[in-house]
């Protein structure tokens, strides 16, 4: 079974802090994704990566950046956390075949105070 | 660009009753279609998927979904709901050409009464 591991389940940070959310997958998947989940809004794509050192902006990239130095790891960075970035963050991976499903981590619930 | 609509934000059913969750998509060709389930505090898990062929697909946990091209729909069904089915359900669409980036609906929250 594919395992996608997000390093923290819960995180509390202060406004203005730089925040790193880490995601590791063990299935050698080329594609990795970061989504944000908010009540009533579903999942919104922040960034995705087709392969190592490749990244593409999703629908809501403002205030975020990403890093993909190794195939198994995809990091989401909040350069200067703000209260409106309080949310559930979900990482997912997938093989590059178009009809492959996403495999999700359990999420990181981030609170910015 | 493709889009997905899940018209029901919440659905409440009694345990043992049948269930249908609606999903409509907008895309010019036949997309790849998925249903995911999210239990409280968890990530999303794939229930089933449709690419081509038989329009009725079976998934895990007793769920099935039917693709209807004429209605641009991919509704999820279960004949008898269990209390453990209470969760959030997401429909997702992937365009069959291009970047293959999934688009998710806003989700339907299923509440199961004993």
């Amino acid at each position: 079974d594919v395992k996608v591991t997000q390093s923290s389940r819960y995180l509390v940070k202060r406004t203005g802090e730089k925040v790193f959310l880490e995601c590791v997958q063990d299935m050698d998947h080329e594609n990795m994704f970061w989504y944000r989940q908010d009540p009533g809004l579903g999942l919104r794509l922040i960034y995705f990566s087709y392969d190592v050192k490749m990244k593409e902006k999703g629908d809501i990239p403002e205030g975020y950046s990403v890093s993909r130095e190794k195939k198994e790891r995809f990091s989401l960075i909040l350069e200067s956390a703000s209260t409106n970035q309080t949310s559930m963050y979900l990482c997912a991976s997938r093989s590059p075949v178009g009809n492959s499903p996403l495999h999700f981590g359990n999420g990181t619930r981030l609170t910015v105070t | 660009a493709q889009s997905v609509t899940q018209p029901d934000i919440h659905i409440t059913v009694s345990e043992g009753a049948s269930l249908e969750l609606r999903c409509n998509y907008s895309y010019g060709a036949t997309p790849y279609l998925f249903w995911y389930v999210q239990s409280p505090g968890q990530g999303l898990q794939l229930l089933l998927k449709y690419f081509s062929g038989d329009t009725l697909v079976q998934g895990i946990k007793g769920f099935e979904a039917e693709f209807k091209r004429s209605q641009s729909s991919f509704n999820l069904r279960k004949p008898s709901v269990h209390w453990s089915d209470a969760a959030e359900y997401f429909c997702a669409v992937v365009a069959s050409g291009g970047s293959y980036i999934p688009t998710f609906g806003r989700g339907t929250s299923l509440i199961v009464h004993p």
Side-chain angles (χ1 to χ4, degrees):
Chain A
D1 258 3
V2 176
K3 187 155 183 160
V4 179
T5 303
Q6 295 184 231
S7 54
S8 304
R9 289 299 304 271
Y10 300 94
L11 215 50
V12 180
K13 296 292 182 182
R14 294 190 180 275
T15 301
E17 277 193 80
K18 190 169 186 175
V19 181
F20 293 85
L21 303 184
E22 305 289 346
C23 175
V24 177
Q25 51 95 2
D26 66 357
M27 279 300 292
D28 205 36
H29 283 165
E30 283 83 355
N31 300 168
M32 295 189 74
F33 303 80
W34 274 105
Y35 286 91
R36 172 177 171 158
Q37 181 179 16
D38 299 288
L41 297 180
L43 276 68
R44 293 180 292 167
L45 182 63
I46 304 172
Y47 267 95
F48 60 98
S49 170
Y50 286 115
D51 209 332
V52 178
K53 297 193 185 293
M54 297 174 69
K55 58 187 178 185
E56 297 285 342
K57 293 180 180 178
D59 300 319
I60 53 164
E62 295 78 19
Y64 304 94
S65 63
V66 290
S67 173
R68 183 109 183 259
E69 295 297 318
K70 293 186 177 180
K71 193 172 189 178
E72 67 269 21
R73 186 180 298 272
F74 191 35
S75 304
L76 180 69
I77 303 156
L78 285 66
E79 298 291 342
S80 177
S82 64
T83 54
N84 62 13
Q85 293 178 308
T86 291
S87 186
M88 170 71 90
Y89 291 86
L90 293 168
C91 175
S93 73
R94 181 187 72 182
S95 82
V97 177
N99 56 14
S100 295
L102 296 181
H103 299 268
F104 284 87
N106 283 335
T108 295
R109 184 165 293 283
L110 173 67
T111 301
V112 183
T113 61
Chain B
Q2 69 269 23
S3 66
V4 183
T5 302
Q6 292 181 249
D8 304 305
I9 298 173
H10 302 283
I11 285 206
T12 301
V13 299
S14 297
E15 192 169 15
S18 64
L19 171 70
E20 182 169 35
L21 301 183
R22 295 183 292 165
C23 173
N24 293 95
Y25 66 89
S26 172
Y27 181 60
T30 299
Y32 303 132
L33 296 159
F34 304 82
W35 274 100
Y36 292 86
V37 60
Q38 184 181 33
S39 298
Q42 303 294 317
L44 279 69
Q45 179 186 17
L46 178 71
L47 279 176
L48 47 76
K49 57 190 177 185
Y50 172 78
F51 308 137
S52 63
D54 192 346
T55 56
L56 184 65
V57 293
Q58 303 297 320
I60 62 171
K61 307 185 182 195
F63 285 91
E64 66 179 25
E66 185 171 13
F67 169 62
K68 292 186 177 180
R69 183 191 308 273
S70 61
Q71 298 176 20
S72 297
S73 70
F74 187 56
N75 293 348
L76 183 70
R77 302 194 295 244
K78 186 169 186 177
S80 178
V81 170
H82 188 263
W83 64 265
S84 60
D85 293 324
E88 189 94 17
Y89 291 82
F90 291 93
C91 182
V93 165
V94 174
S96 53
S99 62
Y100 297 107
I101 301 302
T103 298
F104 285 83
R106 294 192 174 192
T108 297
S109 179
L110 175 64
I111 300 164
V112 180
H113 281 317

